[in-house]
Amino acid sequence: MNKLIFTLCIALFLSRGNEIKSQPGSRFNENELKVKWELVANNYQDQGAALSAFTLVNKGKKVFPASGWTLYFNSSQPVVNARATAGVEIVHVNGDIYKITPGPSFTALKRRDSVRIEYYTDGMLINYTAVPCGLYIVWEADPAKGYSLADYAVRKLENTTTGIVTPEKVFRKNRVIKDIPAAELPKVFPTPVSYRETAASFTLDSSIRIEAPDLFRAEAGYLSSSLEGLLKKSLSTGTGGKAIRLKQAAMGPEAYRLSVSAELVEITAATGAGIFYGIQSLFSLFPADAWANSHSSIAVPGTEVKDEPRFGYRSFLLDIARNFKSKETLFKVLDLMALYKMNVLHLHFSDDEGWRIEIPSLPELTEIGARRGHTTDSKSLLPSSYAAGPEPGKTMGSGYYTRADYIEILKYATLRHIRVMPEIESPGHSRAAVKAMDARYEKYIKAGNREEAERYLLRDPDDQSVYSSAQQWTDNVICVARPSAYHFMEKVIGELQDMYREAGAPLETIHLGGDEVPAGAWERSPLCQQLIKQDPQLEETNDLWYYYFNKLNAILRSRGLFLSGWEEAGMRKTKLDGKNAMIVNPRLANEGMQLHVWNNVTGWGAEDLPYRLANAGYKVVLSPVSNNYLDLAYYKHPDEPGYYWGGFQDIDKPFDFIPFDYYKTSKEDPDGNPADPAVFVGKDRLTDFGKSNIVGIQGLLWGENMRSNEQLDYLLLPKLLGVAERAWAPDPAWATEKDSARFGKLYGEAWSVFVNVIGKRELPRLDHYAGGFGYRIPAAGAILENGKVLVNSQFPGLLIKYSTDGSEPLMTSKTVTGPLTEKGIIKIRVFDSRGRGGRTISIENP
């Protein structure tokens, strides 16, 4: 766990070594510079800012110079003031990148000398995700190259703020969970419409046959390959004997029936998708450890299942723009989604920090936009955001899918009935594309071909607009007044469509972004202001937004696609009581646009935004920060990685989400405190018409902090299972119960079943399925009562071990089987079936 936490703060390139190149004999060796960081205080002097400090220590024999160097670092917390006592200046470069430069009063450091640099950052610094990372140094004599600082130590974060989650709080929250015997748990997940066990049992071995009509040939092949992987033998090709029969019958497009008897497994559906989901339910019936080893046979319990999804759109957004994920990692994610019957992968492949799909006719998009490292001008690569380090290709900051890779991914997803929706972020969040097309421009200008240079240019060279995006970028917005911007979008959209056609993959929509264009963009662009004067439909700069999306909507419709975007694409900027405000824009509601609505943060004033847009006629995919932003920290604790700007999210948040009435279970504000019910007073409720426009649910995993596959698994799981349950399962009885006492009882019973299923069936399955996943193992809850330590776990079924000698609990340590009576400091840790342990907690029994 500690390793995971520190990799969130210290870039992965450090662990891969920092090869020492031959250096001039007189130059200071950066490996002899130790950097320490500590949090001095949150809310320092009641100023709403955190006071932190770097300390530079010279470990070497040579003097660390008073000038001629610049130290770069990444910080998700904006630096608001640098104290000048150390004689240095901290300057914002762009995005999350800052640099420390020595001033005239900075003193050279002799051997063992040190200097302390204090500075402020905006807001509270709660966990290690907020700690500066990605440190490297650049020497004035060699300004094009950066050198990683491997000796970087972070002082342990303790008591960072009030409300930190303690073992006692965890215990009280878990106390309502009942330990349900595994034999009494439902064996199909997500929860089906109808489920009944029978006394029969089907023995699955290599003698079984798969019977299927031609319509279901692909699904039969997938099933056969999956079973042969478990049985390590080819299935029978003969006639007679036991069989798995795939059968067609009239029913809903994703509905299925699954019947398991002693001699026959029959899956019935109208479509291949329904058959596929029936196959996943069959897999769900297998023992949880079925994927741990090969088997000569597998016993499948007799069941009768009738099932169909509540929502036709069950989506997962994966951000590969901020930190790239390999093709093989994406295959694992698709396998996971398939197992839990999710059917849309929203692939966020472009953003300010990266462009991750090859567009062969625009090679600069990946030559420039898929590489991050040290640069001062972004002409050959992008800068080292999110701890990418100075050298490109060393971390997940660099990487892309070739055209062939992407086609292979599409084929893999299509076989699993998952649609891949690409997202081209625009007109904001577009720095990678903007800089790539700048490089293309320079190439053709040097060749004397201005027409070709300007064909796909994305900015106005004379734009003097001043702005800062939500991620602190100052140059990330496309110039929507340039015809070349639309030529660019048409070119990329056309090449993406060609890939989908070649893969035989469905493509109905492309997500074109639309969020977080910063105030001030386009204000001082001559091209934009000229367009406003020339076009009678444009009155002010804000109108350029609607101009842009009207043109993109026309481009997509001409290609047989509809437009998907973030909620801002359906909003309009205006004034309300003299203040800037965003209201629903009725103009585009009947254009068939689909909006992915994220902003319902409790206390921010837009709690009802998803419902307002749906009530206005927009098709809405519920993508709420409040419940489904999986990259948020599990809870308020220094050792829990993840952002916390939108609150904290454990698996209960997506489970609690009531799509048509989420106010009812909105329990916390972004600080993790109890939500004020007053914030929902007067908010719009979802109408019956609005309900018809809720097309589905999405879980989102943004990639700023996913700097390893271990971090991906940790933040993704098990929270994604809560999203899958709420997207597929019928509306639970507790969700519509009006009596508060009855609601509490029904909810408590459902929650207990859910976490028992997760702990006793799904997590053991994920220990080995698709090669295994490194899901988060929750810390134990513990409380001292009547001289005894009581211990519990969020997921019954996981092993809990403890030690009393000060050592870290291991799988070989004593098992918690009841109240602990030992005295002294007791260390407690939860383990999975493979022996992986979660975070250790300590409690004293005096």
Side-chain angles (χ1 to χ4, degrees):
M1 180 62 197
N2 288 336
K3 181 179 179 181
L4 173 64
I5 291 169
F6 280 96
T7 55
L8 279 168
C9 308
I10 303 173
L12 292 179
F13 63 85
L14 300 181
S15 66
R16 299 183 183 183
N18 186 28
E19 296 182 5
I20 307 301
K21 311 297 182 183
S22 58
Q23 304 295 344
S26 60
R27 207 204 70 187
F28 184 84
N29 183 344
E30 58 277 348
N31 283 335
E32 299 298 334
L33 180 66
K34 181 181 182 66
V35 182
K36 298 185 289 186
W37 179 93
E38 65 179 295
L39 171 65
V40 179
N42 266 320
N43 195 25
Y44 184 70
Q45 297 181 345
D46 297 321
Q47 297 177 15
L51 176 62
S52 301
F54 285 111
T55 300
L56 309 185
V57 182
N58 183 358
K59 304 184 300 179
K61 296 179 180 179
K62 292 183 178 179
V63 173
F64 180 72
S67 61
W69 57 267
T70 301
L71 194 158
Y72 289 83
F73 67 94
N74 303 103
S75 175
S76 62
Q77 308 291 102
V79 175
V80 293
N81 181 35
R83 300 177 71 180
T85 54
V88 303
E89 183 180 22
I90 299 181
V91 177
H92 178 232
V93 177
N94 213 341
D96 72 333
I97 305 168
Y98 291 84
K99 65 181 180 180
I100 300 174
T101 55
S105 63
F106 183 81
T107 304
L109 302 180
K110 298 178 182 179
R111 179 174 173 80
R112 297 192 181 93
D113 280 356
S114 65
V115 62
R116 181 181 173 90
I117 303 165
E118 294 187 341
Y119 66 100
Y120 295 102
T121 53
D122 189 34
M124 301 289 282
L125 199 156
I126 294 174
N127 63 23
Y128 287 98
T129 296
V131 171
C133 52
L135 278 67
Y136 68 92
I137 196 167
V138 174
W139 300 103
E140 188 177 85
D142 188 12
K145 185 171 178 57
Y147 297 87
S148 301
L149 295 178
D151 193 352
Y152 175 45
V154 174
R155 185 173 179 178
K156 183 176 176 62
L157 294 176
E158 295 181 297
N159 302 318
T160 54
T161 184
T162 58
I164 294 296
V165 173
T166 62
E168 291 81 6
K169 288 182 180 180
V170 173
F171 182 88
R172 291 189 181 99
K173 188 172 183 178
N174 292 343
R175 202 166 205 168
V176 300
I177 297 170
K178 297 178 181 178
D179 190 347
I180 303 171
E184 298 177 14
L185 296 172
K187 296 181 176 63
V188 172
F189 181 85
T191 303
V193 172
S194 172
Y195 171 85
R196 181 175 64 87
E197 293 188 23
T198 68
S201 178
F202 181 87
T203 301
L204 177 67
D205 56 34
S206 60
S207 70
I208 65 109
R209 294 173 294 106
I210 297 176
E211 301 175 358
D214 286 344
L215 178 66
F216 302 144
R217 181 179 300 170
E219 291 72 29
Y222 167 85
L223 175 60
S224 177
S225 176
S226 299
L227 293 180
E228 288 175 2
L230 284 172
L231 299 170
K232 302 301 181 186
K233 288 184 180 180
S234 298
L235 301 185
S236 172
T237 57
T239 59
K242 293 184 293 184
I244 299 177
R245 180 180 299 151
L246 311 183
K247 179 181 174 182
Q248 186 180 20
M251 58 181 70
E254 293 184 296
Y256 70 90
R257 291 195 301 270
L258 170 63
S259 176
V260 179
S261 63
E263 297 296 321
L264 178 68
V265 173
E266 187 170 78
I267 303 173
T268 307
T271 66
I275 291 291
F276 186 81
Y277 300 135
I279 291 171
Q280 302 312 308
S281 289
L282 174 63
F283 291 167
S284 191
L285 292 173
F286 291 179
D289 62 353
W291 282 266
N293 302 290
S294 58
H295 306 268
S296 58
S297 65
I298 297 173
V300 184
T303 51
E304 296 289 336
V305 179
K306 293 181 180 179
D307 201 10
E308 63 181 334
R310 181 181 183 189
F311 293 103
Y313 196 97
R314 305 176 301 281
S315 176
F316 169 57
L317 176 147
L318 182 63
D319 174 8
I320 61 168
R322 270 62 175 266
N323 279 295
F324 181 66
K325 297 295 172 284
S326 70
K327 178 177 64 176
E328 292 72 25
T329 298
L330 206 57
F331 288 162
K332 281 193 66 172
V333 170
L334 289 166
D335 284 332
L336 180 71
M337 292 176 63
L339 180 63
Y340 297 113
K341 306 183 178 79
M342 302 188 78
N343 65 352
V344 179
L345 174 63
H346 179 163
L347 196 62
H348 186 87
F349 78 86
S350 70
D351 212 298
D352 298 319
E353 300 84 6
W355 182 286
R356 307 301 185 181
I357 297 177
E358 178 190 26
I359 305 297
S361 64
L362 299 173
E364 296 83 3
L365 285 171
T366 44
E367 291 173 353
I368 309 297
R371 300 169 68 241
R372 292 212 301 264
H374 174 63
T375 177
T376 57
D377 57 20
S378 297
K379 289 185 176 181
S380 61
L381 75 168
L382 300 181
S384 56
S385 309
Y386 304 124
E391 293 187 63
K394 298 292 186 179
T395 72
M396 289 182 172
S398 299
Y400 68 94
Y401 302 130
T402 66
R403 186 179 189 277
D405 287 337
Y406 194 59
I407 289 171
E408 189 178 353
I409 289 166
L410 293 176
K411 289 179 177 179
Y412 197 90
T414 301
L415 178 61
R416 288 154 180 78
H417 292 274
I418 295 171
R419 305 189 300 277
V420 180
M421 180 182 68
E423 179 181 354
I424 309 169
E425 260 284 25
S426 69
H429 283 278
S430 297
R431 192 177 190 274
V434 170
K435 294 303 177 182
M437 293 302 95
D438 279 355
R440 184 183 186 277
Y441 172 86
E442 293 293 338
K443 179 176 70 175
Y444 283 104
I445 283 293
K446 288 179 181 178
N449 190 342
R450 176 168 292 276
E451 180 181 3
E452 191 60 36
E454 295 183 345
R455 187 179 302 278
Y456 301 115
L457 189 61
L458 297 179
R459 66 180 179 90
D460 177 359
D462 297 320
D463 189 357
Q464 298 298 311
S465 299
V466 177
Y467 58 84
S468 179
S469 74
Q471 287 75 30
Q472 304 181 74
W473 293 107
T474 59
D475 54 354
N476 73 336
V477 180
I478 290 172
C479 177
V480 299
R482 292 198 72 96
S484 54
Y486 305 97
H487 299 158
F488 171 83
M489 295 300 287
E490 285 197 276
K491 170 60 69 174
V492 173
I493 290 167
E495 294 212 18
L496 285 172
Q497 279 190 297
D498 289 344
M499 294 182 212
Y500 279 77
R501 278 191 287 266
E502 188 169 332
L507 181 65
E508 300 174 341
T509 182
I510 293 178
H511 195 294
L512 295 179
D515 66 322
E516 297 183 330
V517 172
W522 306 320
E523 292 282 359
R524 295 167 64 183
S525 161
L527 289 177
C528 288
Q529 296 308 310
Q530 181 182 12
L531 177 62
I532 293 170
K533 292 177 182 178
Q534 293 176 345
D535 192 322
Q537 294 185 344
L538 304 178
E539 297 180 0
E540 59 169 338
T541 302
N542 287 334
D543 293 339
L544 293 169
W545 180 278
Y546 324 117
Y547 172 88
Y548 179 72
F549 272 95
N550 274 317
K551 290 182 75 71
L552 291 187
N553 190 42
I555 289 171
L556 289 181
R557 294 184 75 166
S558 72
R559 292 176 169 273
L561 304 171
F562 67 86
L563 190 152
S564 290
W566 299 110
E567 66 252 31
E568 289 97 322
M571 304 292 288
R572 184 175 183 85
K573 294 182 179 180
T574 186
K575 296 283 186 180
L576 182 64
D577 297 329
K579 299 179 180 179
N580 291 329
M582 293 280 284
I583 63 171
V584 173
N585 180 6
R587 290 186 186 180
L588 299 175
N590 297 319
E591 292 291 321
M593 291 173 58
Q594 179 171 285
L595 301 180
H596 295 240
V597 188
W598 63 267
N599 186 6
N600 73 328
V601 182
T602 302
W604 283 17
E607 293 83 359
D608 59 353
L609 183 56
Y611 293 166
R612 284 191 282 134
L613 287 162
N615 291 343
Y618 285 98
K619 299 298 181 185
V620 168
V621 177
L622 296 169
S623 311
V625 172
S626 63
N627 296 75
N628 287 4
Y629 262 42
L630 309 182
D631 60 302
L632 297 180
Y634 279 84
Y635 52 61
K636 187 185 285 189
H637 191 282
D639 291 337
E640 282 296 341
Y643 281 152
Y644 45 85
W645 64 268
F648 300 89
Q649 256 174 52
D650 205 335
I651 192 174
D652 60 330
K653 290 289 183 68
F655 177 85
D656 289 356
F657 187 63
I658 303 175
F660 294 165
D661 187 15
Y662 56 77
Y663 306 158
K664 186 173 183 177
T665 49
S666 294
K667 298 181 292 190
E668 290 183 351
D669 67 13
D671 292 326
N673 300 317
D676 181 0
V679 302
F680 300 106
V681 174
K683 298 299 181 183
D684 287 6
R685 304 193 72 82
L686 191 62
T687 65
D688 287 344
F689 172 68
K691 290 178 183 178
S692 70
N693 289 318
I694 302 294
V695 299
I697 296 176
Q698 177 166 257
L700 306 91
L701 187 56
W702 297 103
E704 294 94 332
N705 300 304
M706 289 194 301
R707 298 169 197 160
S708 69
N709 287 334
E710 290 77 16
Q711 292 162 11
L712 166 64
D713 285 359
Y714 188 94
L715 292 169
L716 177 62
L717 292 166
K719 286 189 275 193
L720 185 68
L721 305 190
V723 178
E725 170 73 1
R726 201 52 61 231
W728 180 279
D731 199 15
W734 56 264
T736 53
E737 179 57 54
K738 291 181 169 50
D739 180 78
S740 59
R742 177 72 176 158
F743 166 84
K745 181 177 184 298
L746 291 173
Y747 174 84
E749 292 171 352
W751 175 242
S752 287
V753 171
F754 177 75
V755 293
N756 273 269
V757 167
I758 300 302
K760 295 178 180 178
R761 294 194 59 80
E762 299 314 313
L763 296 186
R765 191 186 319 277
L766 294 177
D767 282 338
H768 305 285
Y769 185 81
F773 292 85
Y775 54 82
R776 174 186 181 261
I777 300 170
I783 195 168
L784 181 64
E785 288 186 354
N786 300 319
K788 299 178 181 179
V789 175
L790 308 184
V791 182
N792 61 20
S793 171
Q794 183 181 43
F795 300 120
L798 296 183
L799 287 170
I800 309 178
K801 300 286 186 173
Y802 74 102
S803 64
T804 56
D805 61 359
S807 64
E808 189 78 1
L810 305 172
M811 276 290 282
T812 55
S813 301
K814 291 180 285 188
T815 302
V816 175
T817 58
L820 304 179
T821 58
E822 289 96 328
K823 301 298 182 179
I825 302 295
I826 301 174
K827 292 188 174 183
I828 306 165
R829 194 178 186 196
V830 182
F831 289 85
D832 70 5
S833 68
R834 292 173 288 177
R836 284 192 317 120
R839 178 165 52 84
T840 299
I841 65 163
S842 297
I843 187 169
E844 183 177 7
N845 188 5

